[in-house]
């Protein structure tokens, strides 16, 4: 941008911005458009707008009466349309003024929905691949209107001249580019044809491409959108939509969901992904506006929880951003997002009601997405919570089946807690659900809303130990000395030791220790270390009796029955440490450094004892 000479503008006088066109084109290429390839989309959009205006001027004309013709032979790229054309005044107003809409100002309000974009900025995108733009146009508004030629150059200069009507016998506009050498990647005939199909395959006006070899022009959009066609049977329609989804996205959909929102002129399909998608990964969706591809990565068209589908839609009333590569976030887009979300909910409801096999395959792949939805959506919760799979002491099963077997459903607060108690709880006949995964604990607690006869409670150590059988008094007394040695050895871990009988007999010991209990012991230890200081006073005020872990030895296990008879103090301590270490590893929680050291030490001590005994 340059400033005018101050000598020619007295102080306080209005001044006019002077635009450095080369700088502006550089700005567009690096910050507005994602790639130089958009030049062809912009030219095609301008042509579509011109055709829309031509049809408004001549309503009786059939939709395919006027079209768009593309030409590229390696030396030039040309886009020709049979649209409304431009007068000389239009050329001065719209081609030489950046950002001015190519639609007549007095008609913008009532016709804005009929057009896609703005001529000024769109035409500037051509400077991404060419140094000169040649426009030849003839207006359809005035009979015998002369042809008008406009030449714009990358240095910001342009020329306009009027030519005889014979220079362009029919109304419409032709834009010709002479590509720069460094733009060959985007202007080769094969690339131009590919870009035209990429952007314009769903356009409602006929578009043809000619590569200059003398053959007949190839159709860019030979067929209408698949959802707009008629089919002999519903099955044929479903297969055609699935085939289109596979062509566009590269996977065979688990199912296709038709999308139709007449209020905004939106039609399309949602393709259900056949495989699990990591939670939170959002896929981009293909959004066309009036047939022209706007974006392949429009995440904003669906809510975050709908990451199990990919959509391709064509809409009339969605508003593009200035780059026309994404959607403008406004009330219309928000309403469309909500309406499409409702269509997905309706599809899930139909599958639950009438297609159990499809629902099963869907939940196998996408149960996490449905769980995230069910947490916030009562309707989905009522429909699908009984069908959702959970990890339980009966294996992976649905809550509906699990609740029929277990009157009280217990749920853990973490994965490690479930793994710690699963085998013992199962042998004791307790029904426990792993609540450590995202959404699971919250959903299990909502089961009584769907099944009032079901009871749900959090699993705590007391519940589990209450279901373990005590040993007889004589056995308890015989093991008392060993248990005392074991408690003394494990006091450093705030761990008590008890003797019980439980299944499976192959499990020598069970370590019952919740994450909350470990945190409380850590806080208490910190308070003791900080005693007398400011933090000690604060933590001391919060101090309460810290819950202790419990190492429960299984009297049914042969190894434990042998261990409790040990009368050598050091060997008793070592065996207790080894049993604690093995139980800690089986719990699959992260080991503290002191526990890792204990496991190594107890193993070496037991090995040394065995070697001494053998010698």
């Amino acid at each position: 941008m340059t400033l005018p000479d101050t000598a020619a503008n007295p102080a306080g006088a209005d001044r006019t911005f002077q635009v450095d066109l080369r700088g502006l084109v550089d700005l567009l290429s690096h910050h507005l458009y994602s790639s130089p390839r958009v030049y062809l989309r912009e030219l095609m959009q301008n042509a579509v707008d011109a055709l829309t205006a031509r049809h408004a001027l001549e309503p009786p004309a059939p939709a395919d009466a006027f079209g768009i013709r593309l030409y590229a032979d390696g030396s030039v790229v040309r886009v020709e349309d049979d649209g409304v054309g431009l007068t000389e005044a239009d050329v001065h107003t719209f081609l030489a003024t950046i950002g001015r809409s190519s639609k007549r100002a007095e008609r913008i309000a009532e016709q804005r929905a009929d057009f896609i974009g703005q001529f000024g900025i769109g035409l500037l995108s051509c400077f991404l691949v060419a140094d000169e733009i040649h426009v030849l146009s003839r207006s359809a508004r005035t009979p015998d209107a002369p042809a008008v030629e406009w030449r714009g150059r990358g240095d910001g200069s342009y020329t306009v001249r009027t030519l005889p009507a014979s220079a362009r016998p029919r109304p419409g506009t032709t834009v010709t580019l002479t590509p720069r050498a460094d733009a060959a990647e985007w202007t080769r005939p094969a690339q131009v044809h590919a870009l035209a199909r990429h952007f314009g395959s769903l356009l409602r006006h006929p578009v043809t491409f000619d590569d200059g070899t003398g053959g007949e022009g190839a159709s860019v959009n030979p067929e209408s959108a698949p959802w707009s066609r008629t089919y002999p049977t519903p099955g044929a329609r479903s297969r055609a939509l699935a085939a289109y989804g596979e062509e566009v996205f590269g996977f065979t959909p688990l199912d296709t969901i038709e999308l139709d929102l007449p209020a905004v002129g939106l039609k399309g399909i949602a393709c259900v992904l056949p495989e699990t998608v990591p939670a939170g990964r959002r896929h981009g969706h293909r959004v066309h506006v009036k047939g022209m591809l706007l974006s392949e990565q429009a995440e904003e068209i669906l809510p975050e929880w709908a990451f199990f589908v990919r959509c391709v839609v064509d809409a009339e009333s969605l508003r593009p951003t200035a780059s026309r590569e994404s959607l403008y976030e406004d009330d219309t887009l928000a309403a469309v997002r909500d309406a499409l979300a409702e269509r997905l909910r309706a599809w899930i409801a139909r599958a639950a009601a009438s297609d159990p096999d499809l629902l099963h395959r869907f939940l196998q792949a996408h149960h996490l997405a449905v769980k995230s939805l069910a947490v916030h959506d009562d309707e989905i919760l009522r429909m699908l919570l009984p069908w959702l799979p959970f990890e339980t002491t009966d294996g992976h099963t649905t809550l509906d089946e699990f609740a029929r077997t277990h009157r009280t459903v217990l749920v853990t607060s973490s994965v490690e807690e479930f793994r710690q108690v699963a085998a013992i709880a199962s042998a004791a006949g307790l029904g426990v659900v792993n609540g450590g995964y995202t959404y699971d604990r919250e959903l299990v607690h909502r089961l009584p809303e769907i099944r009032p006869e079901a009871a749900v409670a959090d699993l705590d150590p007391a519940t589990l130990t209450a279901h373990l059988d005590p040993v007889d008094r004589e056995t308890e007394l015989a093991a008392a000395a060993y248990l005392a040695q074991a408690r003394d050895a494990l006091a450093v871990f705030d761990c008590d030791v008890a003797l019980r009988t439980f299944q499976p007999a192959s499990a020598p010991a069970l370590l019952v220790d919740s994450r909350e209990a470990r945190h409380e012991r850590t806080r208490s230890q910190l308070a003791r270390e900080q005693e007398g200081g400011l933090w000690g006073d604060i933590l001391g005020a919060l101090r309460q009796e810290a819950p202790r872990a419990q190492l429960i030895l299984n009297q049914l296990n042969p190894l434990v029955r042998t261990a409790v008879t040990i009368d050598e103090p050091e060997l008793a301590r070592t065996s207790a440490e080894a049993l604690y270490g093995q139980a800690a590893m089986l719990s699959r929680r992260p080991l503290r450094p002191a526990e890792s050291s204990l496991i190594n030490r107890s193993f070496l001590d037991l090995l040394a004892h065995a070697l001494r005994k053998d010698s």
Side-chain angles (χ1 to χ4, degrees), residues 237-247 251-253 255-256 269 271:
R237 182 178 184 86
S238 296
R239 288 189 293 273
L241 295 179
Y244 181 73
E246 184 172 4
E247 177 187 345
F251 63 84
T252 302
D255 196 15
T256 54
I269 56 173
C271 297

Side-chain angles (χ1 to χ4, degrees), residues 103-115:
K103 281 60 82 177
R104 295 180 181 275
E106 67 272 13
R107 305 185 64 187
I108 288 178
E110 68 268 21
Q111 290 192 353
R112 182 172 184 174
D114 294 332
F115 300 101

